[in-house]
Amino acid sequence: RPPRSTPLYSSAASDVYKRQTNKIGIDPNWTWDDDFIFSQAIKADNTVYISGQVALDENGNVVGQDDMKAQTQQVFKNIETILEKCKSSLADIVKITIFTTDMSRLAETHEVRAKLLSEPAPASTAVEVKALMLPQLLIEIEAVALIKD
């Protein structure tokens, strides 16, 4: 452990350690997720961390079976619903992570997101996975966005 005289223990660093983060769970009021043991999003200070969203409508029905574009549109609709509860928008997304069951169809996702996300495009990662929570789902996207002051 470094002595307290090192820069790690400066008064500025001490203030950072003392600061408490305002962490709030965000509930989009979808009934299908009531039994889940996670938050659809967490608002922490000026940032929203959105759990992976899939192509389920507000009633829990799969949208766009075997249609990557329709599923991507529904995913972003779900993300937008969550962001609106935080006084944020799709334009405020700074990072997305895409999980897809078929990387060869990622271009279809890019077509949709190019219409919805503003420049500069958010930092992005895409990962191919064997399966998602339901066999009809092709894509899941998690996002991080900033909250307007």
Side-chain angles (χ1 to χ4, degrees), residues 8-66:
L8 177 65
Y9 289 97
S10 69
S11 62
S14 178
D15 290 344
V16 170
Y17 288 113
K18 290 178 186 174
R19 187 185 82 188
Q20 292 187 351
T21 300
N22 295 319
K23 184 173 116 175
I24 301 166
I26 304 301
D27 181 7
N29 297 318
W30 299 323
T31 55
W32 60 265
D33 69 350
D34 288 347
D35 294 330
F36 291 173
I37 57 168
F38 66 88
S39 298
Q40 289 291 351
I42 292 289
K43 177 181 169 188
D45 294 330
N46 70 334
T47 307
V48 182
Y49 301 89
I50 301 173
S51 295
Q53 297 298 307
V54 294
L56 296 179
D57 66 16
E58 62 276 358
N59 297 312
N61 301 310
V62 174
V63 173
Q65 188 164 329
D66 201 38

Coordinates of all heavy atoms in Angstrom, one line a residue, residues 8-66:
L8 N -1.8 9.2 -5.3 CA -3.0 8.4 -5.2 C -3.9 8.9 -4.1 O -5.1 8.9 -4.2 CB -2.6 6.9 -5.0 CG -3.8 6.0 -4.8 CD1 -4.6 5.9 -6.1 CD2 -3.3 4.6 -4.4
Y9 N -3.3 9.4 -3.1 CA -4.1 9.9 -1.9 C -4.2 11.4 -1.9 O -4.4 12.0 -0.8 CB -3.5 9.4 -0.6 CG -3.7 7.9 -0.5 CD1 -2.7 7.0 -0.9 CD2 -4.9 7.4 0.0 CE1 -2.9 5.6 -0.8 CE2 -5.1 6.0 0.1 CZ -4.1 5.2 -0.3 OH -4.4 3.8 -0.2
S10 N -4.1 12.1 -3.0 CA -4.2 13.5 -3.0 C -5.7 13.9 -2.7 O -6.6 13.0 -2.7 CB -3.9 14.1 -4.4 OG -4.9 13.7 -5.3
S11 N -5.9 15.1 -2.4 CA -7.3 15.5 -2.0 C -8.3 15.3 -3.1 O -9.4 14.9 -2.9 CB -7.3 16.9 -1.5 OG -6.9 17.8 -2.5
A12 N -7.8 15.5 -4.4 CA -8.7 15.3 -5.5 C -9.1 13.8 -5.7 O -10.2 13.5 -5.9 CB -8.0 15.8 -6.8
A13 N -8.1 13.0 -5.5 CA -8.4 11.5 -5.6 C -9.3 11.1 -4.4 O -10.2 10.3 -4.6 CB -7.1 10.7 -5.5
S14 N -9.1 11.7 -3.3 CA -9.9 11.4 -2.1 C -11.3 11.8 -2.4 O -12.3 11.1 -2.0 CB -9.4 12.1 -0.9 OG -10.2 11.9 0.2
D15 N -11.5 12.9 -3.0 CA -12.9 13.4 -3.3 C -13.6 12.4 -4.3 O -14.8 12.1 -4.1 CB -12.9 14.7 -4.0 CG -12.5 15.8 -3.0 OD1 -12.6 15.6 -1.8 OD2 -12.2 16.9 -3.5
V16 N -12.8 11.8 -5.2 CA -13.4 10.8 -6.1 C -13.8 9.6 -5.4 O -14.9 9.1 -5.6 CB -12.4 10.4 -7.2 CG1 -12.9 9.2 -8.0 CG2 -12.1 11.6 -8.1
Y17 N -13.0 9.1 -4.4 CA -13.4 7.9 -3.7 C -14.6 8.2 -2.8 O -15.4 7.3 -2.5 CB -12.2 7.5 -2.8 CG -11.1 6.9 -3.6 CD1 -9.9 7.5 -3.7 CD2 -11.3 5.7 -4.3 CE1 -8.8 6.9 -4.5 CE2 -10.3 5.1 -5.1 CZ -9.1 5.8 -5.2 OH -8.1 5.2 -5.9
K18 N -14.8 9.4 -2.3 CA -15.9 9.7 -1.4 C -17.2 9.9 -2.2 O -18.2 9.8 -1.6 CB -15.6 11.0 -0.6 CG -14.5 10.8 0.4 CD -14.2 12.1 1.1 CE -13.0 12.0 2.0 NZ -12.6 13.3 2.6
R19 N -17.1 10.3 -3.4 CA -18.3 10.6 -4.2 C -19.1 9.3 -4.3 O -18.6 8.3 -4.6 CB -17.9 11.1 -5.6 CG -19.1 11.6 -6.4 CD -18.7 11.9 -7.8 NE -18.7 10.7 -8.5 CZ -18.3 10.5 -9.7 NH1 -17.8 11.6 -10.4 NH2 -18.3 9.4 -10.3
Q20 N -20.4 9.5 -4.1 CA -21.3 8.4 -4.3 C -22.0 8.5 -5.7 O -22.4 9.6 -6.1 CB -22.4 8.4 -3.2 CG -21.8 8.1 -1.9 CD -22.9 7.9 -0.8 OE1 -24.1 8.2 -1.1 NE2 -22.5 7.5 0.4
T21 N -22.1 7.4 -6.3 CA -22.7 7.3 -7.6 C -24.2 7.2 -7.5 O -24.7 6.4 -6.7 CB -22.2 6.2 -8.5 OG1 -20.8 6.3 -8.6 CG2 -22.8 6.1 -9.8
N22 N -25.0 8.0 -8.2 CA -26.5 7.8 -8.2 C -26.8 6.7 -9.2 O -26.6 6.9 -10.4 CB -27.1 9.1 -8.6 CG -26.9 10.2 -7.6 OD1 -27.0 9.9 -6.4 ND2 -26.7 11.4 -8.1
K23 N -27.2 5.5 -8.7 CA -27.4 4.4 -9.5 C -28.9 4.0 -9.4 O -29.4 3.8 -8.4 CB -26.6 3.2 -9.0 CG -26.7 2.0 -9.9 CD -25.7 1.0 -9.4 CE -26.4 -0.3 -8.9 NZ -25.5 -1.3 -8.5
I24 N -29.6 4.1 -10.6 CA -31.1 3.9 -10.6 C -31.4 2.9 -11.7 O -31.0 3.0 -12.8 CB -31.8 5.3 -10.9 CG1 -31.4 6.3 -9.9 CG2 -33.3 5.1 -11.0 CD1 -31.8 7.7 -10.3
G25 N -32.2 1.9 -11.3 CA -32.7 0.9 -12.3 C -33.8 1.6 -13.1 O -34.7 2.3 -12.6
I26 N -33.8 1.3 -14.4 CA -34.8 1.8 -15.3 C -35.7 0.7 -15.8 O -35.3 -0.3 -16.3 CB -34.1 2.4 -16.6 CG1 -33.1 3.5 -16.2 CG2 -35.1 3.0 -17.6 CD1 -33.6 4.7 -15.4
D27 N -37.0 1.0 -15.6 CA -38.1 0.0 -15.9 C -38.9 0.5 -17.0 O -39.6 1.5 -16.8 CB -38.9 -0.3 -14.7 CG -40.0 -1.4 -15.0 OD1 -40.0 -1.9 -16.0 OD2 -40.8 -1.6 -14.0
P28 N -38.9 -0.1 -18.2 CA -39.7 0.4 -19.3 C -41.2 0.0 -19.2 O -42.0 0.3 -20.1 CB -39.0 -0.2 -20.6 CG -38.3 -1.4 -20.1 CD -38.0 -1.1 -18.6
N29 N -41.5 -0.6 -18.1 CA -42.9 -1.1 -17.9 C -43.4 -2.2 -18.9 O -44.6 -2.2 -19.2 CB -43.9 0.1 -17.9 CG -43.6 1.1 -16.8 OD1 -43.3 0.7 -15.7 ND2 -43.6 2.4 -17.1
W30 N -42.5 -3.0 -19.2 CA -42.9 -4.2 -20.0 C -43.3 -5.3 -19.1 O -42.5 -5.7 -18.2 CB -41.7 -4.7 -20.9 CG -41.3 -3.6 -21.9 CD1 -42.1 -2.8 -22.6 CD2 -39.9 -3.4 -22.4 NE1 -41.3 -2.0 -23.4 CE2 -40.0 -2.4 -23.3 CE3 -38.7 -4.0 -22.1 CZ2 -38.8 -1.9 -23.9 CZ3 -37.6 -3.5 -22.7 CH2 -37.7 -2.5 -23.6
T31 N -44.4 -5.9 -19.2 CA -44.8 -7.0 -18.3 C -44.0 -8.2 -18.5 O -43.9 -9.0 -17.5 CB -46.3 -7.3 -18.5 OG1 -46.6 -7.6 -19.8 CG2 -47.2 -6.1 -18.1
W32 N -43.6 -8.5 -19.7 CA -42.9 -9.8 -19.9 C -41.5 -9.9 -19.1 O -41.0 -11.0 -18.9 CB -42.6 -10.0 -21.4 CG -41.8 -9.0 -22.1 CD1 -42.3 -7.9 -22.8 CD2 -40.4 -8.9 -22.2 NE1 -41.2 -7.2 -23.3 CE2 -40.0 -7.8 -22.9 CE3 -39.3 -9.7 -21.7 CZ2 -38.7 -7.4 -23.2 CZ3 -38.0 -9.4 -21.9 CH2 -37.7 -8.2 -22.7
D33 N -41.0 -8.8 -18.7 CA -39.7 -8.9 -18.0 C -39.8 -8.7 -16.4 O -38.8 -8.7 -15.7 CB -38.7 -7.8 -18.5 CG -39.1 -6.4 -18.1 OD1 -40.3 -6.2 -17.6 OD2 -38.3 -5.5 -18.4
D34 N -41.1 -8.8 -15.9 CA -41.3 -8.6 -14.5 C -40.6 -9.6 -13.6 O -40.2 -9.4 -12.5 CB -42.8 -8.5 -14.2 CG -43.4 -7.3 -14.6 OD1 -42.7 -6.3 -15.0 OD2 -44.7 -7.2 -14.7
D35 N -40.4 -10.9 -14.1 CA -39.8 -11.9 -13.3 C -38.3 -12.0 -13.5 O -37.7 -12.9 -12.9 CB -40.5 -13.3 -13.7 CG -41.9 -13.3 -13.3 OD1 -42.3 -12.6 -12.3 OD2 -42.7 -14.0 -13.9
F36 N -37.7 -11.2 -14.3 CA -36.3 -11.2 -14.5 C -35.6 -10.6 -13.3 O -36.1 -9.7 -12.7 CB -35.9 -10.5 -15.8 CG -36.3 -11.1 -17.1 CD1 -36.2 -10.5 -18.3 CD2 -36.9 -12.4 -17.1 CE1 -36.5 -11.1 -19.5 CE2 -37.3 -13.0 -18.3 CZ -37.1 -12.3 -19.5
I37 N -34.4 -11.1 -13.1 CA -33.6 -10.6 -11.9 C -32.5 -9.6 -12.3 O -31.5 -9.5 -11.7 CB -33.0 -11.8 -11.1 CG1 -32.1 -12.6 -12.0 CG2 -34.1 -12.6 -10.5 CD1 -31.2 -13.6 -11.3
F38 N -32.8 -8.8 -13.4 CA -31.9 -7.8 -13.8 C -32.7 -6.5 -14.2 O -33.9 -6.6 -14.5 CB -31.0 -8.2 -14.9 CG -31.7 -8.5 -16.2 CD1 -31.9 -7.5 -17.1 CD2 -32.1 -9.8 -16.5 CE1 -32.6 -7.8 -18.3 CE2 -32.8 -10.1 -17.7 CZ -33.0 -9.1 -18.6
S39 N -32.0 -5.4 -14.3 CA -32.6 -4.2 -14.8 C -32.5 -4.1 -16.3 O -31.4 -4.5 -16.8 CB -31.9 -3.0 -14.2 OG -32.1 -3.0 -12.8
Q40 N -33.5 -3.6 -17.0 CA -33.3 -3.4 -18.4 C -32.2 -2.3 -18.7 O -31.6 -2.3 -19.7 CB -34.6 -2.9 -19.0 CG -35.7 -4.1 -19.1 CD -35.3 -5.2 -20.1 OE1 -34.4 -5.1 -20.9 NE2 -36.0 -6.2 -20.0
A41 N -32.0 -1.4 -17.7 CA -31.0 -0.4 -17.8 C -30.7 0.1 -16.4 O -31.5 0.0 -15.5 CB -31.4 0.7 -18.7
I42 N -29.5 0.6 -16.3 CA -29.0 1.3 -15.1 C -28.6 2.7 -15.5 O -27.8 2.9 -16.4 CB -27.9 0.6 -14.4 CG1 -28.4 -0.7 -13.8 CG2 -27.3 1.5 -13.3 CD1 -29.3 -0.6 -12.6
K43 N -29.1 3.7 -14.8 CA -28.7 5.1 -15.0 C -27.8 5.4 -13.8 O -28.1 5.3 -12.7 CB -29.9 6.0 -14.9 CG -29.6 7.5 -15.0 CD -30.9 8.3 -14.9 CE -30.6 9.8 -14.8 NZ -31.8 10.6 -14.5
A44 N -26.5 5.7 -14.2 CA -25.5 6.1 -13.2 C -24.9 7.4 -13.6 O -24.3 7.5 -14.6 CB -24.4 5.0 -13.1
D45 N -25.2 8.4 -12.7 CA -24.7 9.8 -13.0 C -25.3 10.2 -14.4 O -26.5 10.1 -14.6 CB -23.2 9.9 -12.9 CG -22.8 9.7 -11.4 OD1 -23.5 10.1 -10.5 OD2 -21.6 9.3 -11.2
N46 N -24.4 10.5 -15.3 CA -24.9 11.0 -16.6 C -24.8 9.9 -17.7 O -24.7 10.2 -18.9 CB -24.1 12.2 -17.0 CG -22.6 11.9 -17.4 OD1 -22.1 11.0 -16.9 ND2 -22.1 12.8 -18.2
T47 N -24.8 8.7 -17.3 CA -24.6 7.6 -18.3 C -25.7 6.5 -18.1 O -26.1 6.3 -16.9 CB -23.2 6.9 -18.1 OG1 -22.2 7.9 -18.2 CG2 -23.0 5.9 -19.2
V48 N -26.2 6.0 -19.2 CA -27.2 4.9 -19.1 C -26.5 3.6 -19.7 O -26.0 3.7 -20.8 CB -28.4 5.2 -20.0 CG1 -29.5 4.1 -19.9 CG2 -29.1 6.5 -19.6
Y49 N -26.6 2.6 -19.0 CA -26.1 1.3 -19.4 C -27.3 0.4 -19.7 O -28.0 0.0 -18.7 CB -25.2 0.7 -18.3 CG -24.0 1.5 -17.9 CD1 -24.1 2.5 -17.0 CD2 -22.8 1.4 -18.6 CE1 -23.1 3.3 -16.6 CE2 -21.7 2.3 -18.3 CZ -21.9 3.2 -17.3 OH -20.8 4.0 -17.0
I50 N -27.5 0.0 -20.9 CA -28.7 -0.7 -21.3 C -28.3 -2.2 -21.5 O -27.4 -2.5 -22.3 CB -29.3 -0.1 -22.6 CG1 -29.6 1.4 -22.4 CG2 -30.5 -0.9 -23.1 CD1 -30.0 2.1 -23.6
S51 N -29.1 -3.0 -20.8 CA -28.9 -4.5 -21.0 C -29.2 -4.9 -22.4 O -29.9 -4.1 -23.2 CB -29.9 -5.2 -20.1 OG -29.6 -5.0 -18.7
G52 N -28.7 -6.0 -22.8 CA -29.0 -6.5 -24.1 C -30.4 -6.5 -24.5 O -31.2 -7.1 -23.7
Q53 N -30.8 -5.9 -25.6 CA -32.2 -5.8 -26.0 C -32.4 -6.8 -27.2 O -31.5 -6.8 -28.1 CB -32.6 -4.4 -26.4 CG -32.5 -3.5 -25.2 CD -33.5 -3.8 -24.1 OE1 -34.7 -4.0 -24.4 NE2 -33.0 -4.0 -22.9
V54 N -33.5 -7.4 -27.2 CA -33.8 -8.4 -28.3 C -35.1 -7.9 -29.0 O -35.8 -7.0 -28.5 CB -33.9 -9.8 -27.8 CG1 -32.6 -10.3 -27.3 CG2 -35.0 -9.9 -26.7
A55 N -35.5 -8.6 -30.0 CA -36.7 -8.2 -30.8 C -38.0 -8.7 -30.2 O -38.7 -9.5 -30.8 CB -36.5 -8.7 -32.3
L56 N -38.3 -8.3 -29.0 CA -39.5 -8.6 -28.3 C -40.3 -7.3 -28.2 O -39.7 -6.2 -27.9 CB -39.3 -9.2 -26.9 CG -38.6 -10.5 -26.8 CD1 -38.5 -10.9 -25.4 CD2 -39.4 -11.6 -27.6
D57 N -41.6 -7.3 -28.5 CA -42.4 -6.1 -28.4 C -42.8 -6.0 -26.9 O -42.4 -6.8 -26.1 CB -43.6 -6.1 -29.3 CG -44.6 -7.2 -29.0 OD1 -44.6 -7.8 -27.9 OD2 -45.5 -7.5 -29.9
E58 N -43.6 -4.9 -26.6 CA -43.9 -4.7 -25.2 C -44.7 -5.8 -24.5 O -44.8 -5.9 -23.3 CB -44.7 -3.3 -25.0 CG -46.0 -3.3 -25.8 CD -45.9 -2.9 -27.2 OE1 -44.8 -2.7 -27.8 OE2 -47.0 -3.0 -27.9
N59 N -45.3 -6.7 -25.3 CA -46.0 -7.8 -24.8 C -45.2 -9.1 -24.7 O -45.7 -10.2 -24.4 CB -47.3 -8.0 -25.6 CG -48.2 -6.9 -25.5 OD1 -48.5 -6.3 -24.4 ND2 -48.7 -6.4 -26.6
G60 N -44.0 -9.0 -25.2 CA -43.1 -10.2 -25.1 C -43.2 -11.1 -26.4 O -42.6 -12.2 -26.4
N61 N -43.7 -10.6 -27.5 CA -43.8 -11.3 -28.7 C -42.6 -11.1 -29.6 O -42.2 -9.9 -29.7 CB -45.1 -10.9 -29.5 CG -46.4 -11.2 -28.7 OD1 -46.6 -12.3 -28.2 ND2 -47.2 -10.2 -28.6
V62 N -42.1 -12.1 -30.2 CA -41.0 -11.9 -31.1 C -41.5 -11.2 -32.4 O -42.5 -11.5 -33.0 CB -40.4 -13.3 -31.6 CG1 -39.3 -13.1 -32.6 CG2 -39.8 -14.0 -30.3
V63 N -40.7 -10.1 -32.8 CA -41.0 -9.3 -33.9 C -40.0 -9.7 -35.0 O -38.8 -9.8 -34.8 CB -40.8 -7.8 -33.6 CG1 -41.0 -7.0 -34.9 CG2 -41.8 -7.4 -32.6
G64 N -40.6 -10.0 -36.2 CA -39.7 -10.2 -37.4 C -39.0 -11.6 -37.4 O -37.8 -11.6 -37.7
Q65 N -39.7 -12.6 -37.2 CA -39.0 -13.9 -37.2 C -38.3 -14.1 -38.6 O -38.9 -13.9 -39.6 CB -40.0 -15.0 -37.0 CG -39.4 -16.4 -36.8 CD -40.3 -17.4 -36.2 OE1 -41.2 -17.1 -35.5 NE2 -40.1 -18.7 -36.6
D66 N -37.0 -14.5 -38.5 CA -36.1 -14.7 -39.6 C -35.9 -13.4 -40.5 O -35.5 -13.5 -41.6 CB -36.5 -15.9 -40.5 CG -35.4 -16.4 -41.3 OD1 -34.2 -16.4 -40.8 OD2 -35.6 -16.7 -42.5

